[in-house]
PDB file of all heavy atoms in Angstrom:
ATOM      1  N   ILE A  27       3.001   2.631  17.680  1.00 97.00           N
ATOM      2  CA  ILE A  27       2.913   2.039  16.324  1.00 97.00           C
ATOM      3  C   ILE A  27       4.340   1.667  15.924  1.00 97.00           C
ATOM      4  O   ILE A  27       5.207   2.538  15.836  1.00 97.00           O
ATOM      5  CB  ILE A  27       2.287   3.054  15.344  1.00 97.00           C
ATOM      6  CG1 ILE A  27       0.848   3.383  15.759  1.00 97.00           C
ATOM      7  CG2 ILE A  27       2.331   2.507  13.930  1.00 97.00           C
ATOM      8  CD1 ILE A  27       0.164   4.422  14.928  1.00 97.00           C
ATOM      9  N   ASP A  28       4.550   0.369  15.651  1.00 96.00           N
ATOM     10  CA  ASP A  28       5.951  -0.076  15.505  1.00 96.00           C
ATOM     11  C   ASP A  28       6.542   0.340  14.169  1.00 96.00           C
ATOM     12  O   ASP A  28       7.759   0.544  14.056  1.00 96.00           O
ATOM     13  CB  ASP A  28       6.063  -1.583  15.726  1.00 96.00           C
ATOM     14  CG  ASP A  28       5.413  -2.403  14.623  1.00 96.00           C
ATOM     15  OD1 ASP A  28       4.419  -1.927  14.033  1.00 96.00           O
ATOM     16  OD2 ASP A  28       5.858  -3.568  14.381  1.00 96.00           O
ATOM     17  N   ARG A  29       5.726   0.414  13.102  1.00 96.00           N
ATOM     18  CA  ARG A  29       6.238   0.809  11.778  1.00 96.00           C
ATOM     19  C   ARG A  29       5.118   1.299  10.910  1.00 96.00           C
ATOM     20  O   ARG A  29       3.940   1.039  11.177  1.00 96.00           O
ATOM     21  CB  ARG A  29       7.002  -0.335  11.131  1.00 96.00           C
ATOM     22  CG  ARG A  29       6.113  -1.519  10.752  1.00 96.00           C
ATOM     23  CD  ARG A  29       6.893  -2.570   9.970  1.00 96.00           C
ATOM     24  NE  ARG A  29       7.880  -3.251  10.816  1.00 96.00           N
ATOM     25  CZ  ARG A  29       8.948  -3.901  10.332  1.00 96.00           C
ATOM     26  NH1 ARG A  29       9.170  -3.937   8.992  1.00 96.00           N
ATOM     27  NH2 ARG A  29       9.772  -4.533  11.133  1.00 96.00           N
ATOM     28  N   ILE A  30       5.449   2.013   9.835  1.00 96.00           N
ATOM     29  CA  ILE A  30       4.435   2.415   8.889  1.00 96.00           C
ATOM     30  C   ILE A  30       3.785   1.151   8.306  1.00 96.00           C
ATOM     31  O   ILE A  30       4.519   0.290   7.820  1.00 96.00           O
ATOM     32  CB  ILE A  30       5.072   3.274   7.773  1.00 96.00           C
ATOM     33  CG1 ILE A  30       5.619   4.573   8.337  1.00 96.00           C
ATOM     34  CG2 ILE A  30       4.035   3.574   6.707  1.00 96.00           C
ATOM     35  CD1 ILE A  30       6.435   5.387   7.335  1.00 96.00           C
ATOM     36  N   PRO A  31       2.475   1.046   8.367  1.00 94.00           N
ATOM     37  CA  PRO A  31       1.817  -0.226   7.967  1.00 94.00           C
ATOM     38  C   PRO A  31       1.616  -0.371   6.445  1.00 94.00           C
ATOM     39  O   PRO A  31       0.483  -0.467   5.987  1.00 94.00           O
ATOM     40  CB  PRO A  31       0.498  -0.167   8.726  1.00 94.00           C
ATOM     41  CG  PRO A  31       0.188   1.285   8.777  1.00 94.00           C
ATOM     42  CD  PRO A  31       1.529   1.988   8.951  1.00 94.00           C
ATOM     43  N   PHE A  32       2.712  -0.376   5.711  1.00 94.00           N
ATOM     44  CA  PHE A  32       2.605  -0.671   4.311  1.00 94.00           C
ATOM     45  C   PHE A  32       2.158  -2.120   4.091  1.00 94.00           C
ATOM     46  O   PHE A  32       2.415  -2.976   4.928  1.00 94.00           O
ATOM     47  CB  PHE A  32       3.970  -0.501   3.611  1.00 94.00           C
ATOM     48  CG  PHE A  32       4.447   0.904   3.524  1.00 94.00           C
ATOM     49  CD1 PHE A  32       5.660   1.294   4.092  1.00 94.00           C
ATOM     50  CD2 PHE A  32       3.703   1.874   2.897  1.00 94.00           C
ATOM     51  CE1 PHE A  32       6.113   2.572   4.009  1.00 94.00           C
ATOM     52  CE2 PHE A  32       4.147   3.203   2.802  1.00 94.00           C
ATOM     53  CZ  PHE A  32       5.351   3.542   3.385  1.00 94.00           C
ATOM     54  N   PRO A  33       1.452  -2.404   2.972  1.00 89.00           N
ATOM     55  CA  PRO A  33       1.101  -3.811   2.720  1.00 89.00           C
ATOM     56  C   PRO A  33       2.340  -4.616   2.511  1.00 89.00           C
ATOM     57  O   PRO A  33       3.391  -4.152   2.112  1.00 89.00           O
ATOM     58  CB  PRO A  33       0.255  -3.696   1.454  1.00 89.00           C
ATOM     59  CG  PRO A  33       0.631  -2.419   0.806  1.00 89.00           C
ATOM     60  CD  PRO A  33       0.995  -1.490   1.930  1.00 89.00           C
ATOM     61  N   ARG A  34       2.223  -5.898   2.791  1.00 85.00           N
ATOM     62  CA  ARG A  34       3.356  -6.808   2.617  1.00 85.00           C
ATOM     63  C   ARG A  34       3.770  -6.855   1.148  1.00 85.00           C
ATOM     64  O   ARG A  34       2.893  -6.852   0.251  1.00 85.00           O
ATOM     65  CB  ARG A  34       2.951  -8.237   3.071  1.00 85.00           C
ATOM     66  CG  ARG A  34       2.762  -8.407   4.575  1.00 85.00           C
ATOM     67  CD  ARG A  34       2.095  -9.737   4.840  1.00 85.00           C
ATOM     68  NE  ARG A  34       2.760 -10.853   4.191  1.00 85.00           N
ATOM     69  CZ  ARG A  34       3.560 -11.693   4.836  1.00 85.00           C
ATOM     70  NH1 ARG A  34       3.855 -11.507   6.135  1.00 85.00           N
ATOM     71  NH2 ARG A  34       4.112 -12.678   4.187  1.00 85.00           N
ATOM     72  N   PRO A  35       5.045  -6.870   0.869  1.00 81.00           N
ATOM     73  CA  PRO A  35       5.494  -6.908  -0.508  1.00 81.00           C
ATOM     74  C   PRO A  35       5.064  -8.142  -1.278  1.00 81.00           C
ATOM     75  O   PRO A  35       4.981  -8.118  -2.488  1.00 81.00           O
ATOM     76  CB  PRO A  35       7.007  -6.836  -0.434  1.00 81.00           C
ATOM     77  CG  PRO A  35       7.379  -7.123   1.015  1.00 81.00           C
ATOM     78  CD  PRO A  35       6.188  -6.790   1.835  1.00 81.00           C
ATOM     79  N   ASP A  36       4.709  -9.232  -0.541  1.00 81.00           N
ATOM     80  CA  ASP A  36       4.246 -10.429  -1.194  1.00 81.00           C
ATOM     81  C   ASP A  36       2.737 -10.530  -1.251  1.00 81.00           C
ATOM     82  O   ASP A  36       2.194 -11.595  -1.557  1.00 81.00           O
ATOM     83  CB  ASP A  36       4.847 -11.688  -0.551  1.00 81.00           C
ATOM     84  CG  ASP A  36       4.489 -11.798   0.919  1.00 81.00           C
ATOM     85  OD1 ASP A  36       3.872 -10.854   1.432  1.00 81.00           O
ATOM     86  OD2 ASP A  36       4.819 -12.805   1.549  1.00 81.00           O
ATOM     87  N   ASP A  37       2.008  -9.437  -0.946  1.00 84.00           N
ATOM     88  CA  ASP A  37       0.559  -9.421  -1.040  1.00 84.00           C
ATOM     89  C   ASP A  37       0.185  -9.388  -2.537  1.00 84.00           C
ATOM     90  O   ASP A  37       0.403  -8.386  -3.209  1.00 84.00           O
ATOM     91  CB  ASP A  37       0.002  -8.170  -0.302  1.00 84.00           C
ATOM     92  CG  ASP A  37      -1.521  -8.142  -0.318  1.00 84.00           C
ATOM     93  OD1 ASP A  37      -2.134  -8.508  -1.306  1.00 84.00           O
ATOM     94  OD2 ASP A  37      -2.096  -7.687   0.694  1.00 84.00           O
ATOM     95  N   PRO A  38      -0.349 -10.452  -3.055  1.00 85.00           N
ATOM     96  CA  PRO A  38      -0.601 -10.523  -4.514  1.00 85.00           C
ATOM     97  C   PRO A  38      -1.618  -9.491  -4.989  1.00 85.00           C
ATOM     98  O   PRO A  38      -1.492  -8.957  -6.103  1.00 85.00           O
ATOM     99  CB  PRO A  38      -1.119 -11.961  -4.728  1.00 85.00           C
ATOM    100  CG  PRO A  38      -1.641 -12.395  -3.423  1.00 85.00           C
ATOM    101  CD  PRO A  38      -0.805 -11.717  -2.349  1.00 85.00           C
ATOM    102  N   VAL A  39      -2.650  -9.226  -4.189  1.00 85.00           N
ATOM    103  CA  VAL A  39      -3.677  -8.298  -4.627  1.00 85.00           C
ATOM    104  C   VAL A  39      -3.137  -6.851  -4.693  1.00 85.00           C
ATOM    105  O   VAL A  39      -3.308  -6.144  -5.678  1.00 85.00           O
ATOM    106  CB  VAL A  39      -4.966  -8.367  -3.734  1.00 85.00           C
ATOM    107  CG1 VAL A  39      -5.949  -7.291  -4.128  1.00 85.00           C
ATOM    108  CG2 VAL A  39      -5.589  -9.746  -3.819  1.00 85.00           C
ATOM    109  N   LYS A  40      -2.451  -6.445  -3.569  1.00 87.00           N
ATOM    110  CA  LYS A  40      -1.902  -5.087  -3.552  1.00 87.00           C
ATOM    111  C   LYS A  40      -0.852  -4.914  -4.638  1.00 87.00           C
ATOM    112  O   LYS A  40      -0.760  -3.866  -5.312  1.00 87.00           O
ATOM    113  CB  LYS A  40      -1.302  -4.830  -2.181  1.00 87.00           C
ATOM    114  CG  LYS A  40      -2.314  -4.741  -1.066  1.00 87.00           C
ATOM    115  CD  LYS A  40      -3.183  -3.487  -1.192  1.00 87.00           C
ATOM    116  CE  LYS A  40      -3.993  -3.183   0.079  1.00 87.00           C
ATOM    117  NZ  LYS A  40      -4.878  -4.271   0.475  1.00 87.00           N
ATOM    118  N   SER A  41      -0.022  -5.938  -4.865  1.00 89.00           N
ATOM    119  CA  SER A  41       1.015  -5.873  -5.916  1.00 89.00           C
ATOM    120  C   SER A  41       0.373  -5.731  -7.284  1.00 89.00           C
ATOM    121  O   SER A  41       0.817  -4.932  -8.106  1.00 89.00           O
ATOM    122  CB  SER A  41       1.898  -7.115  -5.835  1.00 89.00           C
ATOM    123  OG  SER A  41       2.572  -7.183  -4.603  1.00 89.00           O
ATOM    124  N   ALA A  42      -0.678  -6.508  -7.552  1.00 89.00           N
ATOM    125  CA  ALA A  42      -1.362  -6.428  -8.831  1.00 89.00           C
ATOM    126  C   ALA A  42      -2.049  -5.093  -9.029  1.00 89.00           C
ATOM    127  O   ALA A  42      -2.030  -4.537 -10.116  1.00 89.00           O
ATOM    128  CB  ALA A  42      -2.376  -7.542  -8.968  1.00 89.00           C
ATOM    129  N   ARG A  43      -2.617  -4.529  -7.951  1.00 85.00           N
ATOM    130  CA  ARG A  43      -3.236  -3.187  -8.079  1.00 85.00           C
ATOM    131  C   ARG A  43      -2.183  -2.150  -8.389  1.00 85.00           C
ATOM    132  O   ARG A  43      -2.449  -1.257  -9.189  1.00 85.00           O
ATOM    133  CB  ARG A  43      -3.991  -2.889  -6.765  1.00 85.00           C
ATOM    134  CG  ARG A  43      -5.276  -3.639  -6.626  1.00 85.00           C
ATOM    135  CD  ARG A  43      -5.947  -3.451  -5.274  1.00 85.00           C
ATOM    136  NE  ARG A  43      -7.196  -4.165  -5.220  1.00 85.00           N
ATOM    137  CZ  ARG A  43      -7.849  -4.428  -4.073  1.00 85.00           C
ATOM    138  NH1 ARG A  43      -7.361  -4.049  -2.901  1.00 85.00           N
ATOM    139  NH2 ARG A  43      -8.992  -5.112  -4.097  1.00 85.00           N
ATOM    140  N   ALA A  44      -1.019  -2.232  -7.732  1.00 88.00           N
ATOM    141  CA  ALA A  44       0.016  -1.250  -8.010  1.00 88.00           C
ATOM    142  C   ALA A  44       0.479  -1.370  -9.444  1.00 88.00           C
ATOM    143  O   ALA A  44       0.688  -0.316 -10.100  1.00 88.00           O
ATOM    144  CB  ALA A  44       1.182  -1.478  -7.020  1.00 88.00           C
ATOM    145  N   ARG A  45       0.623  -2.574  -9.982  1.00 90.00           N
ATOM    146  CA  ARG A  45       1.048  -2.736 -11.376  1.00 90.00           C
ATOM    147  C   ARG A  45       0.026  -2.188 -12.318  1.00 90.00           C
ATOM    148  O   ARG A  45       0.379  -1.563 -13.356  1.00 90.00           O
ATOM    149  CB  ARG A  45       1.305  -4.224 -11.661  1.00 90.00           C
ATOM    150  CG  ARG A  45       2.580  -4.755 -11.005  1.00 90.00           C
ATOM    151  CD  ARG A  45       2.978  -6.100 -11.619  1.00 90.00           C
ATOM    152  NE  ARG A  45       1.951  -7.108 -11.427  1.00 90.00           N
ATOM    153  CZ  ARG A  45       1.849  -7.940 -10.387  1.00 90.00           C
ATOM    154  NH1 ARG A  45       2.774  -7.846  -9.426  1.00 90.00           N
ATOM    155  NH2 ARG A  45       0.909  -8.835 -10.322  1.00 90.00           N
ATOM    156  N   ALA A  46      -1.280  -2.343 -11.981  1.00 86.00           N
ATOM    157  CA  ALA A  46      -2.326  -1.830 -12.856  1.00 86.00           C
ATOM    158  C   ALA A  46      -2.311  -0.309 -12.860  1.00 86.00           C
ATOM    159  O   ALA A  46      -2.516   0.336 -13.911  1.00 86.00           O
ATOM    160  CB  ALA A  46      -3.680  -2.393 -12.410  1.00 86.00           C
ATOM    161  N   VAL A  47      -2.075   0.301 -11.718  1.00 84.00           N
ATOM    162  CA  VAL A  47      -2.006   1.752 -11.624  1.00 84.00           C
ATOM    163  C   VAL A  47      -0.819   2.271 -12.476  1.00 84.00           C
ATOM    164  O   VAL A  47      -0.947   3.242 -13.253  1.00 84.00           O
ATOM    165  CB  VAL A  47      -1.827   2.198 -10.184  1.00 84.00           C
ATOM    166  CG1 VAL A  47      -1.460   3.698 -10.123  1.00 84.00           C
ATOM    167  CG2 VAL A  47      -3.150   1.988  -9.412  1.00 84.00           C
ATOM    168  N   GLU A  48       0.305   1.606 -12.363  1.00 87.00           N
ATOM    169  CA  GLU A  48       1.494   2.010 -13.114  1.00 87.00           C
ATOM    170  C   GLU A  48       1.308   1.853 -14.615  1.00 87.00           C
ATOM    171  O   GLU A  48       1.736   2.672 -15.398  1.00 87.00           O
ATOM    172  CB  GLU A  48       2.704   1.247 -12.621  1.00 87.00           C
ATOM    173  CG  GLU A  48       3.144   1.640 -11.208  1.00 87.00           C
ATOM    174  CD  GLU A  48       4.069   0.660 -10.562  1.00 87.00           C
ATOM    175  OE1 GLU A  48       4.412  -0.376 -11.235  1.00 87.00           O
ATOM    176  OE2 GLU A  48       4.450   0.882  -9.405  1.00 87.00           O
ATOM    177  N   ALA A  49       0.599   0.764 -15.007  1.00 89.00           N
ATOM    178  CA  ALA A  49       0.319   0.552 -16.423  1.00 89.00           C
ATOM    179  C   ALA A  49      -0.556   1.625 -16.993  1.00 89.00           C
ATOM    180  O   ALA A  49      -0.484   1.936 -18.201  1.00 89.00           O
ATOM    181  CB  ALA A  49      -0.328  -0.808 -16.625  1.00 89.00           C
ATOM    182  N   ALA A  50      -1.395   2.245 -16.164  1.00 85.00           N
ATOM    183  CA  ALA A  50      -2.255   3.331 -16.600  1.00 85.00           C
ATOM    184  C   ALA A  50      -1.595   4.704 -16.465  1.00 85.00           C
ATOM    185  O   ALA A  50      -2.207   5.713 -16.689  1.00 85.00           O
ATOM    186  CB  ALA A  50      -3.555   3.295 -15.777  1.00 85.00           C
ATOM    187  N   GLY A  51      -0.279   4.710 -16.085  1.00 89.00           N
ATOM    188  CA  GLY A  51       0.426   5.951 -16.004  1.00 89.00           C
ATOM    189  C   GLY A  51       0.464   6.579 -14.616  1.00 89.00           C
ATOM    190  O   GLY A  51       0.950   7.707 -14.471  1.00 89.00           O
ATOM    191  N   GLY A  52      -0.056   5.906 -13.604  1.00 88.00           N
ATOM    192  CA  GLY A  52      -0.091   6.439 -12.258  1.00 88.00           C
ATOM    193  C   GLY A  52       1.110   5.998 -11.418  1.00 88.00           C
ATOM    194  O   GLY A  52       1.974   5.300 -11.872  1.00 88.00           O
ATOM    195  N   ASN A  53       1.051   6.424 -10.186  1.00 89.00           N
ATOM    196  CA  ASN A  53       2.122   6.084  -9.220  1.00 89.00           C
ATOM    197  C   ASN A  53       1.577   4.938  -8.324  1.00 89.00           C
ATOM    198  O   ASN A  53       0.792   5.184  -7.426  1.00 89.00           O
ATOM    199  CB  ASN A  53       2.514   7.273  -8.364  1.00 89.00           C
ATOM    200  CG  ASN A  53       3.682   7.000  -7.454  1.00 89.00           C
ATOM    201  OD1 ASN A  53       3.783   5.935  -6.867  1.00 89.00           O
ATOM    202  ND2 ASN A  53       4.553   7.989  -7.312  1.00 89.00           N
ATOM    203  N   GLY A  54       2.014   3.719  -8.612  1.00 88.00           N
ATOM    204  CA  GLY A  54       1.462   2.572  -7.875  1.00 88.00           C
ATOM    205  C   GLY A  54       1.780   2.606  -6.411  1.00 88.00           C
ATOM    206  O   GLY A  54       0.965   2.213  -5.589  1.00 88.00           O
ATOM    207  N   PHE A  55       2.955   3.078  -6.053  1.00 89.00           N
ATOM    208  CA  PHE A  55       3.337   3.131  -4.638  1.00 89.00           C
ATOM    209  C   PHE A  55       2.436   4.091  -3.871  1.00 89.00           C
ATOM    210  O   PHE A  55       1.856   3.758  -2.838  1.00 89.00           O
ATOM    211  CB  PHE A  55       4.799   3.572  -4.445  1.00 89.00           C
ATOM    212  CG  PHE A  55       5.158   3.828  -3.006  1.00 89.00           C
ATOM    213  CD1 PHE A  55       5.373   2.766  -2.141  1.00 89.00           C
ATOM    214  CD2 PHE A  55       5.285   5.133  -2.534  1.00 89.00           C
ATOM    215  CE1 PHE A  55       5.717   3.010  -0.807  1.00 89.00           C
ATOM    216  CE2 PHE A  55       5.586   5.350  -1.222  1.00 89.00           C
ATOM    217  CZ  PHE A  55       5.826   4.313  -0.369  1.00 89.00           C
ATOM    218  N   MET A  56       2.244   5.308  -4.409  1.00 91.00           N
ATOM    219  CA  MET A  56       1.468   6.301  -3.674  1.00 91.00           C
ATOM    220  C   MET A  56      -0.034   5.954  -3.671  1.00 91.00           C
ATOM    221  O   MET A  56      -0.706   6.106  -2.668  1.00 91.00           O
ATOM    222  CB  MET A  56       1.661   7.658  -4.305  1.00 91.00           C
ATOM    223  CG  MET A  56       3.027   8.295  -4.042  1.00 91.00           C
ATOM    224  SD  MET A  56       3.436   8.471  -2.280  1.00 91.00           S
ATOM    225  CE  MET A  56       2.144   9.603  -1.731  1.00 91.00           C
ATOM    226  N   GLN A  57      -0.544   5.469  -4.819  1.00 88.00           N
ATOM    227  CA  GLN A  57      -2.013   5.193  -4.905  1.00 88.00           C
ATOM    228  C   GLN A  57      -2.400   3.913  -4.235  1.00 88.00           C
ATOM    229  O   GLN A  57      -3.571   3.773  -3.866  1.00 88.00           O
ATOM    230  CB  GLN A  57      -2.456   5.186  -6.357  1.00 88.00           C
ATOM    231  CG  GLN A  57      -2.360   6.540  -7.033  1.00 88.00           C
ATOM    232  CD  GLN A  57      -2.956   6.581  -8.417  1.00 88.00           C
ATOM    233  OE1 GLN A  57      -3.918   5.871  -8.698  1.00 88.00           O
ATOM    234  NE2 GLN A  57      -2.408   7.367  -9.328  1.00 88.00           N
ATOM    235  N   VAL A  58      -1.486   3.002  -4.033  1.00 89.00           N
ATOM    236  CA  VAL A  58      -1.858   1.720  -3.382  1.00 89.00           C
ATOM    237  C   VAL A  58      -1.183   1.606  -2.044  1.00 89.00           C
ATOM    238  O   VAL A  58      -1.837   1.585  -0.982  1.00 89.00           O
ATOM    239  CB  VAL A  58      -1.509   0.531  -4.283  1.00 89.00           C
ATOM    240  CG1 VAL A  58      -1.856  -0.781  -3.595  1.00 89.00           C
ATOM    241  CG2 VAL A  58      -2.240   0.631  -5.609  1.00 89.00           C
ATOM    242  N   SER A  59       0.143   1.491  -1.981  1.00 93.00           N
ATOM    243  CA  SER A  59       0.838   1.239  -0.734  1.00 93.00           C
ATOM    244  C   SER A  59       0.713   2.371   0.261  1.00 93.00           C
ATOM    245  O   SER A  59       0.372   2.200   1.435  1.00 93.00           O
ATOM    246  CB  SER A  59       2.294   0.911  -0.999  1.00 93.00           C
ATOM    247  OG  SER A  59       2.423  -0.268  -1.756  1.00 93.00           O
ATOM    248  N   ALA A  60       0.998   3.604  -0.198  1.00 93.00           N
ATOM    249  CA  ALA A  60       0.960   4.745   0.714  1.00 93.00           C
ATOM    250  C   ALA A  60      -0.455   5.061   1.167  1.00 93.00           C
ATOM    251  O   ALA A  60      -0.691   5.446   2.311  1.00 93.00           O
ATOM    252  CB  ALA A  60       1.597   5.959   0.020  1.00 93.00           C
ATOM    253  N   THR A  61      -1.412   4.915   0.259  1.00 92.00           N
ATOM    254  CA  THR A  61      -2.815   5.146   0.648  1.00 92.00           C
ATOM    255  C   THR A  61      -3.283   4.109   1.660  1.00 92.00           C
ATOM    256  O   THR A  61      -4.006   4.458   2.615  1.00 92.00           O
ATOM    257  CB  THR A  61      -3.710   5.136  -0.585  1.00 92.00           C
ATOM    258  OG1 THR A  61      -3.309   6.181  -1.501  1.00 92.00           O
ATOM    259  CG2 THR A  61      -5.168   5.327  -0.251  1.00 92.00           C
ATOM    260  N   HIS A  62      -2.899   2.879   1.449  1.00 92.00           N
ATOM    261  CA  HIS A  62      -3.244   1.812   2.412  1.00 92.00           C
ATOM    262  C   HIS A  62      -2.634   2.143   3.782  1.00 92.00           C
ATOM    263  O   HIS A  62      -3.301   2.080   4.837  1.00 92.00           O
ATOM    264  CB  HIS A  62      -2.669   0.462   1.916  1.00 92.00           C
ATOM    265  CG  HIS A  62      -2.757  -0.653   2.886  1.00 92.00           C
ATOM    266  ND1 HIS A  62      -3.797  -1.498   2.993  1.00 92.00           N
ATOM    267  CD2 HIS A  62      -1.825  -1.087   3.800  1.00 92.00           C
ATOM    268  CE1 HIS A  62      -3.570  -2.434   3.899  1.00 92.00           C
ATOM    269  NE2 HIS A  62      -2.406  -2.187   4.438  1.00 92.00           N
ATOM    270  N   ALA A  63      -1.372   2.547   3.840  1.00 95.00           N
ATOM    271  CA  ALA A  63      -0.685   2.871   5.098  1.00 95.00           C
ATOM    272  C   ALA A  63      -1.340   4.086   5.728  1.00 95.00           C
ATOM    273  O   ALA A  63      -1.495   4.161   6.986  1.00 95.00           O
ATOM    274  CB  ALA A  63       0.787   3.135   4.856  1.00 95.00           C
ATOM    275  N   ALA A  64      -1.687   5.098   4.922  1.00 94.00           N
ATOM    276  CA  ALA A  64      -2.292   6.318   5.468  1.00 94.00           C
ATOM    277  C   ALA A  64      -3.607   6.030   6.170  1.00 94.00           C
ATOM    278  O   ALA A  64      -3.867   6.573   7.253  1.00 94.00           O
ATOM    279  CB  ALA A  64      -2.514   7.348   4.350  1.00 94.00           C
ATOM    280  N   LEU A  65      -4.418   5.165   5.564  1.00 93.00           N
ATOM    281  CA  LEU A  65      -5.701   4.824   6.186  1.00 93.00           C
ATOM    282  C   LEU A  65      -5.483   4.120   7.545  1.00 93.00           C
ATOM    283  O   LEU A  65      -6.137   4.451   8.537  1.00 93.00           O
ATOM    284  CB  LEU A  65      -6.519   3.925   5.236  1.00 93.00           C
ATOM    285  CG  LEU A  65      -7.856   3.450   5.767  1.00 93.00           C
ATOM    286  CD1 LEU A  65      -8.751   4.597   6.104  1.00 93.00           C
ATOM    287  CD2 LEU A  65      -8.502   2.503   4.782  1.00 93.00           C
ATOM    288  N   LEU A  66      -4.569   3.160   7.579  1.00 94.00           N
ATOM    289  CA  LEU A  66      -4.324   2.440   8.857  1.00 94.00           C
ATOM    290  C   LEU A  66      -3.719   3.366   9.888  1.00 94.00           C
ATOM    291  O   LEU A  66      -4.053   3.271  11.071  1.00 94.00           O
ATOM    292  CB  LEU A  66      -3.417   1.234   8.585  1.00 94.00           C
ATOM    293  CG  LEU A  66      -4.073   0.037   7.941  1.00 94.00           C
ATOM    294  CD1 LEU A  66      -3.073  -1.072   7.750  1.00 94.00           C
ATOM    295  CD2 LEU A  66      -5.263  -0.460   8.782  1.00 94.00           C
ATOM    296  N   LEU A  67      -2.836   4.258   9.474  1.00 95.00           N
ATOM    297  CA  LEU A  67      -2.236   5.198  10.441  1.00 95.00           C
ATOM    298  C   LEU A  67      -3.315   6.126  11.023  1.00 95.00           C
ATOM    299  O   LEU A  67      -3.338   6.405  12.221  1.00 95.00           O
ATOM    300  CB  LEU A  67      -1.147   6.019   9.786  1.00 95.00           C
ATOM    301  CG  LEU A  67       0.199   5.349   9.607  1.00 95.00           C
ATOM    302  CD1 LEU A  67       1.112   6.252   8.777  1.00 95.00           C
ATOM    303  CD2 LEU A  67       0.862   5.060  10.954  1.00 95.00           C
ATOM    304  N   ALA A  68      -4.223   6.592  10.183  1.00 94.00           N
ATOM    305  CA  ALA A  68      -5.338   7.431  10.645  1.00 94.00           C
ATOM    306  C   ALA A  68      -6.186   6.696  11.660  1.00 94.00           C
ATOM    307  O   ALA A  68      -6.552   7.220  12.712  1.00 94.00           O
ATOM    308  CB  ALA A  68      -6.157   7.902   9.459  1.00 94.00           C
ATOM    309  N   GLN A  69      -6.478   5.417  11.369  1.00 94.00           N
ATOM    310  CA  GLN A  69      -7.287   4.646  12.274  1.00 94.00           C
ATOM    311  C   GLN A  69      -6.541   4.279  13.552  1.00 94.00           C
ATOM    312  O   GLN A  69      -7.116   4.349  14.646  1.00 94.00           O
ATOM    313  CB  GLN A  69      -7.740   3.346  11.570  1.00 94.00           C
ATOM    314  CG  GLN A  69      -8.693   3.619  10.376  1.00 94.00           C
ATOM    315  CD  GLN A  69      -8.992   2.336   9.595  1.00 94.00           C
ATOM    316  OE1 GLN A  69      -8.190   1.445   9.501  1.00 94.00           O
ATOM    317  NE2 GLN A  69     -10.159   2.334   8.963  1.00 94.00           N
ATOM    318  N   GLY A  70      -5.273   3.913  13.446  1.00 95.00           N
ATOM    319  CA  GLY A  70      -4.487   3.552  14.595  1.00 95.00           C
ATOM    320  C   GLY A  70      -4.271   4.731  15.537  1.00 95.00           C
ATOM    321  O   GLY A  70      -4.503   4.649  16.772  1.00 95.00           O
ATOM    322  N   ALA A  71      -3.821   5.852  14.991  1.00 96.00           N
ATOM    323  CA  ALA A  71      -3.631   7.058  15.800  1.00 96.00           C
ATOM    324  C   ALA A  71      -4.920   7.556  16.450  1.00 96.00           C
ATOM    325  O   ALA A  71      -4.909   8.145  17.510  1.00 96.00           O
ATOM    326  CB  ALA A  71      -2.973   8.160  14.955  1.00 96.00           C
TER     327      ALA A  71
END
């Protein structure tokens, strides 16, 4: 696995979801980017 599979920073949907989480008081990185990466790592490994 060449790198942690975070979503692309220019992915408009993932970016908008992260902003929505943060607007609601959550952690956009952990709830969107890290969760996305965790799922792909689980599947890849």
Side-chain angles (χ1 to χ4, degrees):
I27 296 175
D28 69 331
R29 66 174 69 201
I30 296 172
F32 291 122
R34 290 167 52 101
D36 60 353
D37 183 322
V39 175
K40 293 291 192 303
S41 298
R43 285 174 178 163
R45 289 195 299 270
V47 168
E48 290 164 1
N53 186 321
F55 172 77
M56 289 302 298
Q57 292 188 34
V58 178
S59 296
T61 297
H62 171 90
L65 177 60
L66 284 180
L67 282 172
Q69 293 172 332

